Amino acid sequence: MLRTMMGCLALGLLWHATAGIAPAGEKEGSGRAMVVKLIADSDPEFRAAALDQVRSAFAGEAATKEFAALLEQLKEPAQQVGLLSALADRGDKAARPAVLKLLAASGDESVRGAALGALAALGSANELPLIITALSAQSAVERAAAKLALTQMRGDAVTSALAADLKSASPVVKAALIEVLATRRASDEIPTFLTAALDDNAQVRTAAVKALGQIGRPEQIGPMLVAVLKAPKGGERDEAEKNVALICARIDNEDRRGDALIKALDTVSPAERDQLLSLVGRVGGKKLIKFVADIATGSDTARRKLGVDALTKWPDASPADTLLEIARKAGSPADRATAFQGYVKVASMRDKRNDKQRLDRMKQAIKEAQTDEEKTLVIRLARTSYDVDTLRFVLPYVDESPFAQIACETIVELAHHREVRDPNKAEFDKALDKVIAATSNPEVVERANRYKRGETWDRATKGK
């Protein structure tokens, strides 16, 4: 109690001193002395109040140096981190020597990270080599702090220096510098990024392609196709395609977007163009549907498969009719099955259509389905239509043994959405009772019971 009362008195005196209305005989120096004392206090609230004063009170280099001198005197890393943050917010470069000294002396990664972060506000171009070196530090905290500091440091000279270092940096540092330059919107470095996108190091390639996705312009689409082809199939290729699609998306007009990509595709060989069809699907647009559909219905079996796969990657359901037509006219059961599955996939997509329109597609798909496997796919993806009519569509399949389990799962998924379930509680309760009786899956049973009671279901913790 006594400590709390003394602390309140100290804070009150501190407030008066820093507000310029100190009691008679009080000088600003005594207010600073109190701040200095409270910075090292064991009470976090007192320390926080003192650090606020460091940020905004006691103007001038003398006060900055007095506060900064405390950095090496404080024993606790958390106290040093707090003071470093306050000095950075203060923004007086007079604190820089003390920050650099602490950075060199400390073995604590949180302190070193905070010191690197403070240099974003307090440092200069002279500190760039030191911060760049930290990009390859063993500590993830230091690497992240260095990257953020380089992102936040102001001035064209900083950007130019980073770009110059990029050319001779190690792969780890080069990748980090590319990320920094992209965040700094260093559009003059786009040619450097294009070169880096073809680097032999996967980390550098990935960073460069991502940077181009952030700040690249439509004229870079063609050169970026080479980078996509350089990336191995799988995760890296997928990311490269997504970043090209981001650039394409900056062309507002859909037809011009399609024209730009088709023009870029004309710069590569036919075989390479086929490898890029999935990218075409990611970009989307009606003009590109015909471009891909001509391939998906051609005479070459392998190319047909690539074309159908590209149509299933469309960002919306606009190729649905095309895929259904391909399925209906397919010359082999395998081609038909691939196209039909693609149709169901895009038709169930949650795009700008409403739920009833989405459900209408599922009703159409169930009529076109020729096997139990295809019907199962339709029943499973019908759950993307958040509408009570979807419940009515799926419910009869609970009584059909090949589809009972998937129908039960779809019903509980629909019941998960309160906006669908609550206005139709009686109907959902009856359906959920039917699910509980039909399924042997304990998780489905538990979910059904919870939804009947009006409870929620946390997917991460399985309702617990």
Side-chain angles (χ1 to χ4, degrees), residues 117-445:
L119 290 175
L122 306 177
S124 66
N126 293 330
E127 281 71 57
L128 284 177
L130 177 66
I131 304 174
I132 290 172
T133 299
L135 290 172
S136 57
Q138 289 187 346
S139 164
V141 172
E142 292 177 48
R143 293 197 302 271
K147 189 183 296 184
L148 184 60
L150 293 173
T151 299
Q152 294 177 338
M153 289 180 78
R154 297 180 180 179
D156 292 339
V158 174
T159 301
S160 299
L162 296 177
D165 273 45
L166 182 65
K167 296 177 175 59
S168 58
S170 67
V172 171
V173 173
K174 183 179 288 189
L177 287 175
I178 289 171
E179 291 180 39
V180 169
L181 287 166
T183 305
R184 293 177 71 93
R185 314 299 293 181
S187 56
D188 289 346
E189 299 307 314
I190 285 177
T192 304
F193 298 161
L194 285 169
T195 300
L198 302 177
D199 198 276
D200 289 334
N201 182 274
Q203 189 175 0
V204 173
R205 288 197 305 270
T206 300
V209 168
K210 183 178 179 181
L212 290 163
Q214 288 179 257
I215 64 173
R217 296 185 288 264
E219 52 265 35
Q220 275 87 55
I221 295 173
M224 276 195 73
L225 295 185
V226 182
V228 174
L229 293 167
K230 171 84 173 182
K233 291 181 180 180
E236 187 181 341
R237 175 73 66 89
D238 288 344
E239 285 303 310
E241 290 182 357
K242 289 175 185 177
N243 281 289
V244 177
L246 286 175
I247 296 179
C248 292
R250 294 189 190 115
I251 305 174
D252 291 336
N253 183 277
E254 184 181 280
D255 285 344
R256 286 202 298 269
R257 190 184 311 145
D259 288 338
L261 183 55
I262 291 172
K263 181 179 178 181
L265 290 168
D266 286 339
T267 65
V268 300
S269 70
E272 291 173 326
R273 191 180 307 142
D274 286 349
Q275 294 183 51
L276 294 167
L277 285 177
S278 59
L279 165 61
V280 176
R282 295 183 196 279
V283 174
K286 293 179 181 178
K287 176 165 283 193
L288 290 172
I289 290 176
K290 184 180 185 308
F291 176 82
V292 177
D294 288 343
I295 296 171
T297 56
S299 58
D300 188 301
T301 303
R303 296 190 78 219
R304 287 202 302 271
K305 186 175 181 180
L306 289 171
V308 170
D309 180 66
L311 290 171
T312 65
K313 285 185 168 65
W314 234 253
D316 56 41
S318 55
D321 288 334
T322 300
L323 282 164
L324 183 58
E325 189 65 18
I326 292 172
R328 287 170 173 170
K329 294 181 178 179
S332 73
D335 283 351
R336 186 210 156 275
T338 301
F340 177 82
Q341 290 167 11
Y343 166 72
V344 179
K345 178 181 175 182
V346 300
S348 65
M349 191 179 300
R350 289 198 63 79
D351 53 9
K352 294 180 180 180
R353 297 167 301 148
N354 61 44
D355 290 295
K356 288 190 179 297
Q357 290 172 320
R358 201 169 294 113
L359 177 58
D360 286 343
R361 288 288 191 180
M362 294 298 99
K363 290 178 178 178
Q364 183 181 35
I366 207 76
K367 293 177 182 177
E368 299 280 346
Q370 295 182 0
T371 66
D372 285 352
E373 181 181 8
E374 290 180 351
K375 290 182 179 179
T376 297
L377 177 66
V378 176
I379 295 166
R380 178 169 65 84
L381 292 184
R383 67 188 64 176
T384 65
S385 302
Y386 305 158
D387 192 284
V388 67
D389 282 339
T390 308
L391 172 67
R392 296 162 186 159
F393 168 65
V394 172
L395 188 59
Y397 293 100
V398 174
D399 296 323
E400 298 188 30
S401 58
F403 315 115
Q405 183 57 40
I406 196 66
C408 289
E409 292 173 9
T410 293
I411 289 168
V412 295
E413 281 294 331
L414 290 170
H416 180 77
H417 301 279
R418 284 186 178 275
E419 70 277 15
V420 182
R421 183 184 80 223
D422 288 352
N424 305 283
K425 181 171 172 40
E427 190 168 355
F428 263 96
D429 283 353
K430 186 177 179 180
L432 291 169
D433 282 337
K434 191 170 185 177
V435 166
I436 292 167
T439 185
S440 58
N441 186 320
E443 183 175 300
V444 172
V445 171

